[in-house]
Short mmCIF file of all heavy atoms in Angstrom, two decimals:
data_model
loop_
_atom_site.label_atom_id
_atom_site.label_comp_id
_atom_site.label_asym_id
_atom_site.label_seq_id
_atom_site.Cartn_x
_atom_site.Cartn_y
_atom_site.Cartn_z
N SER A 1215 0.79 -1.24 0.00
CA SER A 1215 0.00 0.00 0.00
C SER A 1215 0.82 1.28 0.00
O SER A 1215 0.27 2.36 -0.20
CB SER A 1215 -0.93 0.01 1.23
OG SER A 1215 -0.17 -0.09 2.43
N GLU A 1216 2.13 1.19 0.22
CA GLU A 1216 2.94 2.40 0.33
C GLU A 1216 3.69 2.74 -0.96
O GLU A 1216 4.40 3.74 -1.01
CB GLU A 1216 3.95 2.26 1.48
CG GLU A 1216 3.29 2.10 2.84
CD GLU A 1216 4.31 2.03 3.97
OE1 GLU A 1216 5.52 2.13 3.67
OE2 GLU A 1216 3.90 1.86 5.12
N VAL A 1217 3.57 1.90 -1.98
CA VAL A 1217 4.37 2.10 -3.18
C VAL A 1217 3.90 3.32 -3.97
O VAL A 1217 2.70 3.59 -4.09
CB VAL A 1217 4.33 0.83 -4.07
CG1 VAL A 1217 2.93 0.59 -4.61
CG2 VAL A 1217 5.33 0.94 -5.21
N VAL A 1218 4.88 4.07 -4.50
CA VAL A 1218 4.63 5.21 -5.39
C VAL A 1218 5.46 4.98 -6.65
O VAL A 1218 6.63 4.59 -6.57
CB VAL A 1218 5.05 6.54 -4.73
CG1 VAL A 1218 4.92 7.70 -5.72
CG2 VAL A 1218 4.22 6.81 -3.49
N VAL A 1219 4.87 5.21 -7.81
CA VAL A 1219 5.58 5.01 -9.08
C VAL A 1219 5.71 6.34 -9.81
O VAL A 1219 4.71 7.07 -9.97
CB VAL A 1219 4.86 3.98 -9.98
CG1 VAL A 1219 5.48 3.96 -11.37
CG2 VAL A 1219 4.94 2.60 -9.36
N ALA A 1220 6.93 6.66 -10.22
CA ALA A 1220 7.19 7.88 -10.99
C ALA A 1220 7.33 7.53 -12.46
O ALA A 1220 8.04 6.58 -12.81
CB ALA A 1220 8.47 8.55 -10.49
N ILE A 1221 6.65 8.26 -13.32
CA ILE A 1221 6.74 8.05 -14.76
C ILE A 1221 7.33 9.29 -15.41
O ILE A 1221 7.16 10.41 -14.94
CB ILE A 1221 5.37 7.73 -15.38
CG1 ILE A 1221 4.38 8.88 -15.12
CG2 ILE A 1221 4.81 6.41 -14.85
CD1 ILE A 1221 3.06 8.73 -15.87
N ASN A 1222 8.05 9.07 -16.50
CA ASN A 1222 8.59 10.18 -17.29
C ASN A 1222 7.66 10.47 -18.46
O ASN A 1222 7.14 9.56 -19.10
CB ASN A 1222 9.97 9.79 -17.84
CG ASN A 1222 10.99 9.60 -16.74
OD1 ASN A 1222 11.59 10.55 -16.26
ND2 ASN A 1222 11.19 8.34 -16.32
N VAL A 1223 7.47 11.74 -18.75
CA VAL A 1223 6.67 12.12 -19.91
C VAL A 1223 7.57 12.86 -20.89
O VAL A 1223 8.52 13.56 -20.50
CB VAL A 1223 5.47 13.00 -19.52
CG1 VAL A 1223 4.51 12.23 -18.62
CG2 VAL A 1223 5.90 14.29 -18.84
N SER A 1224 7.30 12.69 -22.16
CA SER A 1224 8.10 13.33 -23.20
C SER A 1224 7.69 14.78 -23.38
O SER A 1224 6.61 15.21 -22.95
CB SER A 1224 7.92 12.58 -24.52
OG SER A 1224 6.62 12.80 -25.03
N ALA A 1225 8.55 15.53 -24.05
CA ALA A 1225 8.25 16.94 -24.32
C ALA A 1225 7.00 17.07 -25.17
O ALA A 1225 6.13 17.92 -24.92
CB ALA A 1225 9.45 17.59 -25.01
N ARG A 1226 6.88 16.22 -26.20
CA ARG A 1226 5.72 16.31 -27.08
C ARG A 1226 4.43 15.98 -26.34
O ARG A 1226 3.40 16.62 -26.52
CB ARG A 1226 5.90 15.37 -28.28
CG ARG A 1226 4.75 15.42 -29.27
CD ARG A 1226 5.02 14.61 -30.50
NE ARG A 1226 6.09 15.18 -31.31
CZ ARG A 1226 6.33 14.83 -32.58
NH1 ARG A 1226 5.58 13.91 -33.17
NH2 ARG A 1226 7.33 15.37 -33.25
N GLN A 1227 4.50 14.97 -25.48
CA GLN A 1227 3.33 14.59 -24.70
C GLN A 1227 2.93 15.68 -23.71
O GLN A 1227 1.75 15.96 -23.52
CB GLN A 1227 3.62 13.29 -23.97
CG GLN A 1227 2.40 12.64 -23.32
CD GLN A 1227 2.73 11.30 -22.71
OE1 GLN A 1227 3.88 11.06 -22.30
NE2 GLN A 1227 1.76 10.41 -22.65
N PHE A 1228 3.94 16.32 -23.12
CA PHE A 1228 3.69 17.38 -22.15
C PHE A 1228 3.02 18.58 -22.81
O PHE A 1228 2.16 19.24 -22.22
CB PHE A 1228 5.00 17.80 -21.49
CG PHE A 1228 4.84 18.83 -20.40
CD1 PHE A 1228 4.34 18.49 -19.16
CD2 PHE A 1228 5.21 20.16 -20.64
CE1 PHE A 1228 4.19 19.44 -18.16
CE2 PHE A 1228 5.07 21.11 -19.64
CZ PHE A 1228 4.56 20.75 -18.40
N ARG A 1229 3.42 18.85 -24.06
CA ARG A 1229 2.90 20.03 -24.76
C ARG A 1229 1.63 19.72 -25.56
O ARG A 1229 1.07 20.61 -26.20
CB ARG A 1229 3.97 20.58 -25.71
CG ARG A 1229 5.22 21.07 -24.99
CD ARG A 1229 6.34 21.32 -25.97
NE ARG A 1229 7.62 21.51 -25.28
CZ ARG A 1229 8.81 21.30 -25.82
NH1 ARG A 1229 8.90 20.88 -27.08
NH2 ARG A 1229 9.91 21.48 -25.13
N ASN A 1230 1.19 18.48 -25.54
CA ASN A 1230 0.06 18.08 -26.38
C ASN A 1230 -1.26 18.64 -25.88
O ASN A 1230 -2.25 18.68 -26.61
CB ASN A 1230 -0.01 16.56 -26.47
CG ASN A 1230 -0.62 16.09 -27.76
OD1 ASN A 1230 -0.41 16.69 -28.82
ND2 ASN A 1230 -1.39 15.02 -27.70
N GLY A 1231 -1.32 19.01 -24.59
CA GLY A 1231 -2.50 19.67 -24.06
C GLY A 1231 -3.52 18.78 -23.38
O GLY A 1231 -4.50 19.29 -22.84
N ASN A 1232 -3.30 17.46 -23.41
CA ASN A 1232 -4.29 16.58 -22.79
C ASN A 1232 -3.67 15.61 -21.80
O ASN A 1232 -4.26 14.57 -21.49
CB ASN A 1232 -5.05 15.80 -23.87
CG ASN A 1232 -4.15 14.85 -24.65
OD1 ASN A 1232 -2.92 15.00 -24.61
ND2 ASN A 1232 -4.75 13.90 -25.35
N LEU A 1233 -2.47 15.91 -21.30
CA LEU A 1233 -1.78 14.99 -20.41
C LEU A 1233 -2.58 14.74 -19.14
O LEU A 1233 -2.69 13.60 -18.67
CB LEU A 1233 -0.39 15.54 -20.06
CG LEU A 1233 0.48 14.68 -19.14
CD1 LEU A 1233 0.73 13.31 -19.76
CD2 LEU A 1233 1.81 15.39 -18.86
N ASP A 1234 -3.15 15.79 -18.58
CA ASP A 1234 -3.92 15.62 -17.35
C ASP A 1234 -5.13 14.71 -17.56
O ASP A 1234 -5.49 13.90 -16.70
CB ASP A 1234 -4.35 16.97 -16.79
CG ASP A 1234 -5.19 17.77 -17.78
OD1 ASP A 1234 -4.85 17.77 -18.98
OD2 ASP A 1234 -6.19 18.39 -17.35
N LYS A 1235 -5.76 14.82 -18.74
CA LYS A 1235 -6.92 13.98 -19.03
C LYS A 1235 -6.53 12.52 -19.19
O LYS A 1235 -7.22 11.62 -18.69
CB LYS A 1235 -7.63 14.49 -20.30
CG LYS A 1235 -8.18 15.91 -20.18
CD LYS A 1235 -8.85 16.33 -21.46
CE LYS A 1235 -9.43 17.74 -21.34
NZ LYS A 1235 -8.38 18.75 -21.10
N LEU A 1236 -5.40 12.28 -19.86
CA LEU A 1236 -4.93 10.90 -20.04
C LEU A 1236 -4.62 10.25 -18.69
O LEU A 1236 -4.99 9.09 -18.45
CB LEU A 1236 -3.68 10.88 -20.92
CG LEU A 1236 -3.87 11.22 -22.40
CD1 LEU A 1236 -2.52 11.37 -23.08
CD2 LEU A 1236 -4.70 10.13 -23.08
N ILE A 1237 -3.96 10.99 -17.82
CA ILE A 1237 -3.61 10.45 -16.51
C ILE A 1237 -4.86 10.23 -15.67
O ILE A 1237 -5.00 9.20 -14.99
CB ILE A 1237 -2.61 11.37 -15.80
CG1 ILE A 1237 -1.26 11.35 -16.54
CG2 ILE A 1237 -2.43 10.98 -14.34
CD1 ILE A 1237 -0.21 12.28 -15.97
N ALA A 1238 -5.78 11.18 -15.72
CA ALA A 1238 -7.02 11.05 -14.95
C ALA A 1238 -7.80 9.81 -15.39
O ALA A 1238 -8.35 9.06 -14.56
CB ALA A 1238 -7.87 12.30 -15.10
N GLN A 1239 -7.84 9.55 -16.71
CA GLN A 1239 -8.56 8.39 -17.23
C GLN A 1239 -7.91 7.09 -16.75
O GLN A 1239 -8.60 6.14 -16.36
CB GLN A 1239 -8.57 8.42 -18.76
CG GLN A 1239 -9.47 9.52 -19.33
CD GLN A 1239 -9.29 9.68 -20.83
OE1 GLN A 1239 -8.56 8.92 -21.47
NE2 GLN A 1239 -9.97 10.68 -21.39
N ALA A 1240 -6.56 7.05 -16.77
CA ALA A 1240 -5.86 5.83 -16.35
C ALA A 1240 -6.04 5.57 -14.86
O ALA A 1240 -6.25 4.44 -14.43
CB ALA A 1240 -4.37 5.94 -16.69
N LEU A 1241 -5.97 6.63 -14.06
CA LEU A 1241 -6.18 6.47 -12.61
C LEU A 1241 -7.58 5.95 -12.32
O LEU A 1241 -7.78 5.07 -11.47
CB LEU A 1241 -5.96 7.81 -11.91
CG LEU A 1241 -4.52 8.35 -11.87
CD1 LEU A 1241 -4.51 9.77 -11.31
CD2 LEU A 1241 -3.61 7.45 -11.05
N LYS A 1242 -8.56 6.50 -13.06
CA LYS A 1242 -9.96 6.07 -12.85
C LYS A 1242 -10.16 4.64 -13.34
O LYS A 1242 -10.84 3.83 -12.67
CB LYS A 1242 -10.89 7.03 -13.59
CG LYS A 1242 -12.37 6.70 -13.40
CD LYS A 1242 -13.24 7.72 -14.13
CE LYS A 1242 -14.73 7.39 -13.94
NZ LYS A 1242 -15.59 8.38 -14.64
N LYS A 1243 -9.58 4.31 -14.47
CA LYS A 1243 -9.74 2.98 -15.06
C LYS A 1243 -9.25 1.88 -14.13
O LYS A 1243 -9.90 0.84 -13.98
CB LYS A 1243 -9.01 2.92 -16.40
CG LYS A 1243 -9.06 1.56 -17.08
CD LYS A 1243 -8.31 1.60 -18.40
CE LYS A 1243 -8.32 0.23 -19.09
NZ LYS A 1243 -7.60 0.26 -20.40
N PHE A 1244 -8.09 2.12 -13.50
CA PHE A 1244 -7.50 1.09 -12.65
C PHE A 1244 -7.74 1.35 -11.16
O PHE A 1244 -7.19 0.64 -10.32
CB PHE A 1244 -6.00 0.98 -12.94
CG PHE A 1244 -5.70 0.50 -14.33
CD1 PHE A 1244 -5.30 1.40 -15.32
CD2 PHE A 1244 -5.86 -0.83 -14.67
CE1 PHE A 1244 -5.04 0.97 -16.61
CE2 PHE A 1244 -5.61 -1.28 -15.97
CZ PHE A 1244 -5.20 -0.37 -16.94
N LYS A 1245 -8.54 2.37 -10.87
CA LYS A 1245 -8.92 2.68 -9.48
C LYS A 1245 -7.69 2.85 -8.59
O LYS A 1245 -7.58 2.25 -7.52
CB LYS A 1245 -9.84 1.59 -8.93
CG LYS A 1245 -11.14 1.44 -9.71
CD LYS A 1245 -12.01 0.33 -9.15
CE LYS A 1245 -13.30 0.18 -9.97
NZ LYS A 1245 -14.15 -0.93 -9.46
N VAL A 1246 -6.78 3.69 -9.07
CA VAL A 1246 -5.54 3.97 -8.33
C VAL A 1246 -5.64 5.35 -7.69
O VAL A 1246 -5.89 6.34 -8.39
CB VAL A 1246 -4.32 3.93 -9.27
CG1 VAL A 1246 -3.06 4.37 -8.54
CG2 VAL A 1246 -4.14 2.52 -9.84
N PRO A 1247 -5.46 5.45 -6.39
CA PRO A 1247 -5.43 6.78 -5.74
C PRO A 1247 -4.30 7.63 -6.34
O PRO A 1247 -3.18 7.14 -6.55
CB PRO A 1247 -5.17 6.46 -4.27
CG PRO A 1247 -5.66 5.05 -4.10
CD PRO A 1247 -5.37 4.36 -5.40
N ALA A 1248 -4.59 8.88 -6.60
CA ALA A 1248 -3.65 9.74 -7.33
C ALA A 1248 -2.31 9.89 -6.62
O ALA A 1248 -1.27 10.05 -7.28
CB ALA A 1248 -4.28 11.12 -7.55
N HIS A 1249 -2.28 9.84 -5.27
CA HIS A 1249 -1.02 10.08 -4.57
C HIS A 1249 -0.01 8.95 -4.75
O HIS A 1249 1.13 9.07 -4.33
CB HIS A 1249 -1.29 10.33 -3.08
CG HIS A 1249 -1.81 9.13 -2.35
ND1 HIS A 1249 -3.16 8.87 -2.24
CD2 HIS A 1249 -1.18 8.12 -1.70
CE1 HIS A 1249 -3.34 7.76 -1.55
NE2 HIS A 1249 -2.15 7.29 -1.21
N HIS A 1250 -0.42 7.86 -5.41
CA HIS A 1250 0.52 6.78 -5.70
C HIS A 1250 1.28 7.01 -7.01
O HIS A 1250 2.16 6.22 -7.36
CB HIS A 1250 -0.22 5.43 -5.77
CG HIS A 1250 -0.64 4.92 -4.43
ND1 HIS A 1250 0.21 4.27 -3.57
CD2 HIS A 1250 -1.84 4.97 -3.81
CE1 HIS A 1250 -0.44 3.94 -2.48
NE2 HIS A 1250 -1.69 4.36 -2.58
N LEU A 1251 0.93 8.05 -7.73
CA LEU A 1251 1.57 8.32 -9.02
C LEU A 1251 2.35 9.63 -8.95
O LEU A 1251 1.89 10.61 -8.37
CB LEU A 1251 0.52 8.41 -10.13
CG LEU A 1251 1.07 8.48 -11.57
CD1 LEU A 1251 1.74 7.16 -11.95
CD2 LEU A 1251 -0.06 8.80 -12.55
N GLU A 1252 3.52 9.63 -9.59
CA GLU A 1252 4.36 10.82 -9.67
C GLU A 1252 4.76 11.03 -11.13
O GLU A 1252 5.03 10.06 -11.84
CB GLU A 1252 5.61 10.62 -8.80
CG GLU A 1252 6.55 11.80 -8.76
CD GLU A 1252 7.71 11.55 -7.79
OE1 GLU A 1252 7.49 10.89 -6.75
OE2 GLU A 1252 8.83 12.02 -8.08
N VAL A 1253 4.78 12.26 -11.57
CA VAL A 1253 5.16 12.59 -12.95
C VAL A 1253 6.46 13.38 -12.93
O VAL A 1253 6.57 14.37 -12.19
CB VAL A 1253 4.05 13.38 -13.67
CG1 VAL A 1253 4.53 13.87 -15.04
CG2 VAL A 1253 2.81 12.52 -13.82
N GLU A 1254 7.42 12.95 -13.75
CA GLU A 1254 8.72 13.64 -13.83
C GLU A 1254 8.79 14.44 -15.12
O GLU A 1254 8.51 13.93 -16.21
CB GLU A 1254 9.86 12.62 -13.78
CG GLU A 1254 9.93 11.87 -12.46
CD GLU A 1254 11.21 11.05 -12.31
OE1 GLU A 1254 12.06 11.12 -13.23
OE2 GLU A 1254 11.35 10.35 -11.30
#
């Protein structure tokens, strides 16, 4: 229950304008509390 995973995002993905929506969908899909994910 204490694990946190950090993911790297690319420059193009960061500037694409929908990164927050993609992450929100994945968190909801797999029912993962947001504080377990970190973005670099």
